[in-house]
Amino acid sequence: MVWGCFCWSGVGLLWKVSGNLKINSYIDILENALIPSVDLHSLHSDWTFQQDNAPCHRSKGSKQWFGEQKIEIMNWPAQSPNLNPIENLWDHISLRIQEKSPSNHSELWNAILSTWDSIDINKLHTLIESMPQRCKAVIQARGGTTKY
Ligand SMILES: *[C@@H]1O[C@H](CO)[C@@H](O)[C@H](O)[C@H]1NC(C)=O
Protein backbone atom coordinates (compact mmCIF):
# COMPACT_ATOMS: atom_id res chain seq x y z
CA MET A 1 0.00 0.00 0.00
CA VAL A 2 1.20 3.52 -0.69
CA TRP A 3 0.22 6.91 0.64
CA GLY A 4 0.44 10.04 -1.44
CA CYS A 5 -0.96 13.53 -1.66
CA PHE A 6 -1.07 16.33 -4.20
CA CYS A 7 -1.85 20.00 -4.45
CA TRP A 8 -2.13 22.58 -7.22
CA SER A 9 1.63 22.89 -7.62
CA GLY A 10 2.38 19.17 -7.84
CA VAL A 11 2.48 15.80 -6.17
CA GLY A 12 3.87 15.32 -2.68
CA LEU A 13 6.10 12.60 -1.35
CA LEU A 14 5.04 9.04 -1.93
CA TRP A 15 5.19 6.80 1.15
CA LYS A 16 5.32 3.03 1.20
CA VAL A 17 3.02 1.62 3.89
CA SER A 18 3.93 -1.80 5.18
CA GLY A 19 1.12 -3.84 6.69
CA ASN A 20 -2.11 -2.35 7.96
CA LEU A 21 -2.59 1.35 8.23
CA LYS A 22 -2.87 1.66 12.00
CA ILE A 23 -3.29 4.87 13.88
CA ASN A 24 0.35 5.33 14.84
CA SER A 25 1.57 4.55 11.38
CA TYR A 26 -0.89 7.07 9.97
CA ILE A 27 0.58 9.79 12.16
CA ASP A 28 4.05 8.58 11.11
CA ILE A 29 3.01 9.03 7.48
CA LEU A 30 1.65 12.48 8.16
CA GLU A 31 4.89 13.49 9.85
CA ASN A 32 7.19 11.86 7.32
CA ALA A 33 5.30 12.47 4.10
CA LEU A 34 2.58 15.09 4.52
CA ILE A 35 4.67 17.66 6.39
CA PRO A 36 7.64 17.42 3.96
CA SER A 37 5.16 17.67 1.07
CA VAL A 38 3.67 20.82 2.56
CA ASP A 39 7.19 22.23 2.88
CA LEU A 40 8.13 21.08 -0.62
CA HIS A 41 5.30 23.10 -2.11
CA SER A 42 5.69 25.97 0.38
CA LEU A 43 2.08 25.80 1.50
CA HIS A 44 1.46 28.24 4.29
CA SER A 45 -1.85 28.68 6.10
CA ASP A 46 -4.06 29.00 3.04
CA TRP A 47 -4.78 25.35 2.38
CA THR A 48 -7.17 22.64 3.51
CA PHE A 49 -6.37 18.96 3.79
CA GLN A 50 -8.78 16.46 2.28
CA GLN A 51 -9.03 12.86 3.32
CA ASP A 52 -11.83 10.35 3.24
CA ASN A 53 -13.37 8.71 6.30
CA ALA A 54 -11.13 5.67 6.57
CA PRO A 55 -11.05 4.67 10.29
CA CYS A 56 -7.41 5.63 10.82
CA HIS A 57 -8.08 9.07 9.28
CA ARG A 58 -10.87 9.68 11.77
CA SER A 59 -9.16 8.36 14.88
CA LYS A 60 -8.89 10.52 18.00
CA GLY A 61 -5.12 10.43 17.70
CA SER A 62 -5.01 11.76 14.18
CA LYS A 63 -7.71 14.36 14.86
CA GLN A 64 -5.59 15.57 17.73
CA TRP A 65 -2.51 15.63 15.54
CA PHE A 66 -4.23 17.74 12.87
CA GLY A 67 -5.42 20.07 15.63
CA GLU A 68 -1.92 20.46 17.04
CA GLN A 69 -0.49 21.13 13.59
CA LYS A 70 -3.30 23.63 12.96
CA ILE A 71 -4.13 21.88 9.70
CA GLU A 72 -7.64 22.52 8.50
CA ILE A 73 -9.50 19.40 7.33
CA MET A 74 -12.38 19.45 4.91
CA ASN A 75 -15.73 18.13 6.22
CA TRP A 76 -16.44 14.79 4.68
CA PRO A 77 -19.74 12.91 4.44
CA ALA A 78 -19.97 9.51 6.13
CA GLN A 79 -20.08 7.69 2.80
CA SER A 80 -17.80 9.39 0.33
CA PRO A 81 -17.36 7.10 -2.63
CA ASN A 82 -16.37 9.53 -5.35
CA LEU A 83 -15.41 12.69 -3.58
CA ASN A 84 -11.73 11.98 -3.22
CA PRO A 85 -9.78 13.10 -6.32
CA ILE A 86 -6.71 11.09 -5.39
CA GLU A 87 -8.69 7.95 -6.21
CA ASN A 88 -8.64 9.03 -9.85
CA LEU A 89 -4.88 9.39 -9.61
CA TRP A 90 -4.52 5.89 -8.15
CA ASP A 91 -6.59 4.54 -11.07
CA HIS A 92 -4.30 6.30 -13.52
CA ILE A 93 -1.20 4.94 -11.77
CA SER A 94 -2.53 1.43 -11.61
CA LEU A 95 -3.17 1.45 -15.39
CA ARG A 96 0.35 2.74 -16.12
CA ILE A 97 1.81 0.08 -13.83
CA GLN A 98 -0.09 -2.73 -15.52
CA GLU A 99 1.54 -1.62 -18.79
CA LYS A 100 4.97 -1.90 -17.18
CA SER A 101 4.13 -5.33 -15.69
CA PRO A 102 6.65 -5.31 -12.83
CA SER A 103 7.77 -8.80 -11.81
CA ASN A 104 8.71 -8.24 -8.16
CA HIS A 105 8.27 -5.75 -5.32
CA SER A 106 11.24 -3.61 -6.15
CA GLU A 107 10.18 -3.25 -9.79
CA LEU A 108 6.66 -2.49 -8.62
CA TRP A 109 7.85 0.25 -6.28
CA ASN A 110 10.06 1.73 -9.00
CA ALA A 111 7.14 1.66 -11.43
CA ILE A 112 4.92 3.43 -8.90
CA LEU A 113 7.60 6.05 -8.20
CA SER A 114 8.36 6.80 -11.83
CA THR A 115 4.65 7.03 -12.68
CA TRP A 116 4.05 9.28 -9.69
CA ASP A 117 6.93 11.57 -10.65
CA SER A 118 5.76 11.89 -14.24
CA ILE A 119 2.15 12.82 -13.52
CA ASP A 120 1.10 15.71 -15.73
CA ILE A 121 0.39 18.83 -13.68
CA ASN A 122 -2.63 19.51 -15.88
CA LYS A 123 -4.14 16.27 -14.60
CA LEU A 124 -3.81 17.59 -11.05
CA HIS A 125 -5.38 20.91 -12.05
CA THR A 126 -8.31 19.15 -13.73
CA LEU A 127 -8.89 17.04 -10.62
CA ILE A 128 -8.72 20.03 -8.28
CA GLU A 129 -11.00 22.07 -10.52
CA SER A 130 -13.53 19.23 -10.43
CA MET A 131 -14.01 19.60 -6.65
CA PRO A 132 -16.93 22.07 -6.71
CA GLN A 133 -18.82 19.80 -9.14
CA ARG A 134 -17.92 16.71 -7.13
CA CYS A 135 -19.22 18.31 -3.95
CA LYS A 136 -22.46 19.29 -5.71
CA ALA A 137 -22.89 15.78 -7.10
CA VAL A 138 -22.33 14.20 -3.68
CA ILE A 139 -24.84 16.60 -2.09
CA GLN A 140 -27.37 15.80 -4.81
CA ALA A 141 -26.80 12.08 -4.31
CA ARG A 142 -27.17 12.63 -0.51
CA GLY A 143 -23.71 11.24 0.06
CA GLY A 144 -24.19 8.35 -2.36
CA THR A 145 -22.41 7.32 -5.52
CA THR A 146 -21.74 9.84 -8.28
CA LYS A 147 -20.30 9.66 -11.79
CA TYR A 148 -16.82 10.54 -10.48
C1 LIG B 1 13.39 -7.99 -9.83
O1 LIG B 1 13.32 -8.40 -11.16
C2 LIG B 1 14.33 -7.86 -12.01
C3 LIG B 1 14.02 -8.29 -13.44
O2 LIG B 1 13.72 -9.64 -13.52
C4 LIG B 1 15.70 -8.33 -11.50
O3 LIG B 1 16.70 -7.78 -12.33
C5 LIG B 1 15.88 -7.88 -10.08
O4 LIG B 1 17.10 -8.38 -9.56
C6 LIG B 1 14.72 -8.36 -9.22
N1 LIG B 1 14.85 -7.77 -7.89
C7 LIG B 1 14.68 -8.50 -6.78
C8 LIG B 1 14.82 -7.73 -5.50
O5 LIG B 1 14.39 -9.67 -6.80
Side-chain angles (χ1 to χ4, degrees):
M1 187 155 62
V2 294
W3 185 94
C5 61
F6 71 95
C7 64
W8 186 263
S9 48
V11 294
L13 268 71
L14 204 59
W15 193 256
K16 202 193 302 187
V17 182
S18 41
N20 278 335
L21 191 50
K22 297 261 170 54
I23 293 157
N24 282 338
S25 63
Y26 187 50
I27 293 174
D28 279 352
I29 293 168
L30 296 171
E31 288 184 342
N32 290 300
L34 175 61
I35 295 297
S37 301
V38 168
D39 293 341
L40 177 71
H41 292 294
S42 309
L43 301 180
H44 302 293
S45 56
D46 56 339
W47 64 286
T48 301
F49 186 62
Q50 277 183 228
Q51 58 177 3
D52 61 28
N53 281 334
C56 66
H57 296 170
R58 288 162 56 91
S59 73
K60 236 184 186 167
S62 54
K63 276 186 187 154
Q64 190 184 338
W65 186 88
F66 281 108
E68 286 163 5
Q69 303 292 322
K70 303 198 177 10
I71 294 174
E72 193 186 330
I73 305 183
M74 185 172 134
N75 281 332
W76 206 270
Q79 305 281 326
S80 51
N82 312 111
L83 196 52
N84 200 348
I86 205 157
E87 296 299 337
N88 302 72
L89 225 43
W90 296 138
D91 287 346
H92 164 79
I93 289 169
S94 112
L95 284 174
R96 293 288 88 77
I97 287 165
Q98 279 168 35
E99 289 162 9
K100 293 177 181 171
S101 51
S103 63
N104 56 37
H105 269 99
S106 93
E107 284 191 357
L108 174 61
W109 177 240
N110 288 336
I112 295 171
L113 273 183
S114 65
T115 309
W116 182 252
D117 288 336
S118 61
I119 287 171
D120 184 353
I121 191 116
N122 291 313
K123 191 168 202 66
L124 304 182
H125 292 174
T126 304
L127 287 174
I128 290 169
E129 283 171 336
S130 75
M131 281 312 293
Q133 284 304 330
R134 278 171 195 265
C135 291
K136 273 186 206 159
V138 169
I139 290 166
Q140 271 163 12
R142 297 175 188 276
T145 308
T146 68
K147 67 172 180 170
Y148 298 93

